């Protein structure tokens, strides 16, 4: 007859340990010996535990990968933002440098123009008398390349009109012909019209116009008013 195995306290403790580890064993006593065999419940629990562990490890790896990707994206975004800021700063610096250069160039151009363009001289003023009329006529004659000196003009004026710009000769042949000599150098109208100098009034008795036209006529006929010593 088979012998009955008595379960001791040691056996109970061993069974408890096996249960805690996920391996439940059944104790069978045969022929005076006991053998521990895995049950279906034990195998199922072990497989479930392994599957749970694998799933947890997979989720952990996925979370880690997601965190790494997020960190990489954040780093890339930060680098891009930094580059944009650097580019804008460089552009602003370049624009400021260009503006300074253009302003400096404009200032230099203005300075060069100021130096190159002399100030326009104020119109020369002449006294409204014989001395002033002669001097103004001489300045015009110089610009027009008409020869003559102060002495030559003054000498002939004093002989012809005594310095009276409104003097009129009403007795000579010209007067009889209806074209009397007039003005400081006693010029007739046809001669004045022919030798009038541009820039002076077109009035025969105007002192400056009369002197300048007479000097122009004398230069054509005698070489210069300085060569005239009598009626001309």
């Amino acid at each position: 007859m088979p012998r009955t195995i008595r379960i001791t306290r040691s056996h109970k403790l061993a069974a408890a340990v096996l249960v805690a580890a996920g391996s439940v064993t059944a104790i069978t006593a045969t022929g005076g010996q006991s053998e521990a065999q895995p049950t279906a419940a034990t195998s199922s629990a072990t497989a479930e535990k392994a599957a749970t562990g694998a799933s947890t490890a997979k989720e952990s790896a996925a979370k880690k990968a997601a965190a790494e990707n997020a960190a990489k994206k954040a780093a890339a975004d930060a680098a891009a933002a930094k580059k944009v800021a650097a580019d804008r700063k460089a552009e602003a610096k370049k624009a400021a440098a260009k503006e300074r250069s253009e302003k400096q160039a404009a200032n230099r151009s203005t300075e060069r123009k100021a130096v190159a363009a002399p100030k326009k001289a104020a119109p020369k003023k002449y006294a409204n008398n014989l001395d002033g009329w002669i001097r103004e006529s001489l300045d015009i004659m110089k610009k027009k390349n008409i020869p003559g000196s102060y002495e030559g003009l003054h000498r002939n004026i004093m002989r012809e009109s005594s310095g009276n710009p409104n003097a009129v000769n009403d007795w000579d042949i010209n007067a009889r012909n209806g074209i009397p000599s007039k003005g400081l150098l006693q010029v007739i109208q046809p001669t004045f019209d022919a030798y009038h100098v541009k820039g002076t009034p077109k009035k025969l008795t105007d002192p400056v116009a009369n002197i300048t036209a007479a000097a122009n006529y004398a230069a054509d006929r005698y070489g210069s008013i300085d060569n005239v010593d009598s009626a001309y």
Side-chain angles (χ1 to χ4, degrees):
M1 291 180 64
R3 190 172 58 181
T4 302
I5 302 301
R6 185 179 179 181
I7 303 302
T8 66
R9 189 170 185 274
S10 296
H11 291 150
K12 292 179 179 180
L13 290 175
V17 171
L18 290 175
V19 172
S23 298
V24 179
T25 59
I27 301 175
T28 305
T30 58
Q33 294 182 350
S34 63
E35 294 182 357
Q37 296 294 331
T39 64
T42 302
S43 297
S44 177
T46 301
E48 184 178 351
K49 183 176 181 181
T52 300
S55 177
T56 301
K58 187 175 181 180
E59 290 178 0
S60 177
K63 289 180 180 179
K64 183 178 179 181
E68 290 176 351
N69 290 336
K72 288 179 181 179
K73 186 177 183 304
D77 291 344
K82 186 175 181 180
K83 185 177 183 305
V84 170
D87 290 345
R88 288 179 178 174
K89 185 176 180 180
E91 289 177 0
K93 187 175 181 181
K94 185 177 179 181
K98 182 180 179 181
E99 184 178 357
R100 285 196 302 271
S101 178
E102 291 175 348
K103 187 177 292 185
Q104 289 171 355
N107 290 338
R108 286 193 296 269
S109 177
T110 301
E111 290 172 359
R112 284 195 298 270
K113 288 180 180 179
V115 172
K119 292 182 179 179
K120 189 175 181 180
K124 189 175 180 179
K125 293 183 179 182
Y126 302 91
N128 188 27
N129 54 32
L130 182 58
D131 178 73
W133 301 330
I134 292 175
R135 293 185 185 282
E136 185 173 356
S137 293
L138 285 170
D139 285 343
I140 295 172
M141 289 163 59
K142 184 177 180 180
K143 291 177 182 178
K144 302 294 183 178
N145 296 315
I146 300 172
S149 67
Y150 186 99
E151 186 278 331
L153 291 173
H154 186 271
R155 172 167 42 84
N156 282 284
I157 288 172
M158 296 309 293
R159 186 191 65 250
E160 293 292 332
S161 66
S162 298
N164 179 8
N166 295 312
V168 179
N169 184 325
D170 56 4
W171 54 268
D172 65 4
I173 186 63
N174 290 321
R176 289 196 294 273
N177 290 332
I179 48 172
S181 301
K182 296 181 181 181
L184 291 173
L185 282 171
Q186 292 294 285
V187 182
I188 61 175
Q189 189 67 50
T191 300
F192 179 81
D193 293 339
Y195 289 93
H196 172 261
V197 177
K198 187 177 181 179
T200 62
K202 288 187 176 181
K203 182 180 178 182
L204 177 59
T205 56
D206 178 85
V208 175
N210 187 279
I211 294 173
T212 310
N216 194 26
Y217 165 75
D220 185 44
R221 290 290 300 274
Y222 307 103
S224 171
I225 191 70
D226 294 347
N227 298 329
V228 178
D229 291 310
S230 61
Y232 61 109

